[in-house]
């Protein structure tokens, strides 16, 4: 059974699971309302109330977030990770940032969690998800 967590004050087990190295998925909605699910690296920052995904500014996921933000006050998205029977989902409203400090912070956190420095990318942006819900069985 799924357990709800406060995304800003998660229980230790939930947070620990998000500190482990796992491939995740990001779900955005296309303009026609159908889900677009892609593999990503995600970092979770409960102190800031954010999940972050680094990506290329030209990706479909960035386009979906921008389109929803323009019409819906912010794109509703979810990120999820699974490890056997353990799983965890973070939900919230996403926005795109190309601000160098925010992108650098996202890269720093990615490097810490995934233990590798991503290749340089002049088109890199960060999807920042303002968290509203956290569920899981981790």
């Amino acid at each position: 059974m799924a357990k709800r967590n406060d995304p800003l004050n998660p229980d230790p087990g939930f947070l620990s699971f998000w500190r482990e190295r796992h491939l995740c998925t990001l779900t955005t909605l296309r303009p026609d309302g159908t889900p677009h699910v892609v593999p990503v690296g995600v970092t979770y920052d409960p102190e800031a109330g954010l999940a972050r995904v680094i990506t290329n500014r030209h990706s479909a996921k960035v386009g979906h977030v921008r389109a929803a933000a323009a019409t819906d006050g912010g794109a509703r998205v979810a990120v999820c990770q699974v490890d056997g029977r353990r799983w965890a989902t973070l939900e919230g409203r996403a926005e795109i940032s190309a601000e160098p400090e925010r992108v650098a912070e996202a890269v720093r956190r990615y490097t810490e969690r995934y233990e590798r420095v991503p290749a340089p990318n002049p088109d890199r942006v960060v999807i920042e998800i303002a968290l509203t819900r956290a569920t899981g069985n981790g």
Side-chain angles (χ1 to χ4, degrees), residues 29-35:
L29 297 177
R30 296 180 183 100
D32 68 2
T34 59

Side-chain angles (χ1 to χ4, degrees), residues 84-137:
R85 300 184 84 165
R86 299 183 307 154
W87 63 273
T89 300
L90 298 169
E91 300 175 34
R93 295 232 179 221
E95 66 176 44
I96 307 301
S97 177
E99 291 180 26
E101 305 81 28
R102 291 165 74 177
V103 173
E105 178 64 7
V107 168
R108 183 189 71 76
R109 289 176 177 275
Y110 177 95
T111 300
E112 183 178 283
R113 182 175 189 198
Y114 291 97
E115 300 174 342
R116 71 174 200 85
V117 178
N121 179 354
D123 289 325
R124 179 170 290 131
V125 294
V126 58
I127 300 172
E128 291 182 331
I129 305 163
L131 300 172
T132 58
R133 181 178 293 170
T135 55
N137 182 21

Side-chain angles (χ1 to χ4, degrees), residues 23-60:
L23 185 62
C24 303
T25 60
L26 168 69
T27 302
T28 59
L29 297 177
R30 296 180 183 100
D32 68 2
T34 59
H36 176 254
V37 183
V38 294
V40 294
V42 176
T43 61
Y44 176 29
D45 180 359
E47 294 81 17
L50 295 174
R52 295 177 179 92
V53 175
I54 56 175
T55 189
N56 188 299
R57 75 177 68 245
H58 304 293
S59 69

